[in-house]
Amino acid sequence: MITDKDIARINELYHKSKTEEGLTPEEKQEQAKLRSAYIAAIRQNLRGQLNHISIQNPDGTITKLKKKDENPYGH
């Protein structure tokens, strides 16, 4: 889970990377790790939202969204 502190650190490292000083190799690793964790959290949040969405068909029936790996043809 990404905290506000993690997001602040991501922003801090970004701003430091744009200065003449740049980032140390350790900070670059930390930045990559934090960015990966942030992206994973965003994906998890989006998947959670999509799992709770249903679509109403023109005939009035309701269909839940299927996971990407599910085969819609039942094979």
Side-chain angles (χ1 to χ4, degrees), residues 18-63:
K18 296 299 179 185
T19 65
E20 276 187 38
E21 180 183 347
L23 297 176
T24 65
E26 293 83 16
E27 288 172 328
K28 287 180 182 180
Q29 282 183 329
E30 179 186 8
Q31 184 184 43
K33 181 181 172 186
L34 286 170
R35 284 180 173 175
S36 293
Y38 179 78
I39 290 169
I42 294 293
R43 286 181 178 153
Q44 183 179 8
N45 186 347
L46 180 58
R47 176 52 57 198
Q49 290 177 13
L50 291 175
N51 285 341
H52 289 89
I53 293 177
S54 299
I55 299 172
Q56 184 172 4
N57 299 310
D59 66 359
T61 60
I62 305 229
T63 306

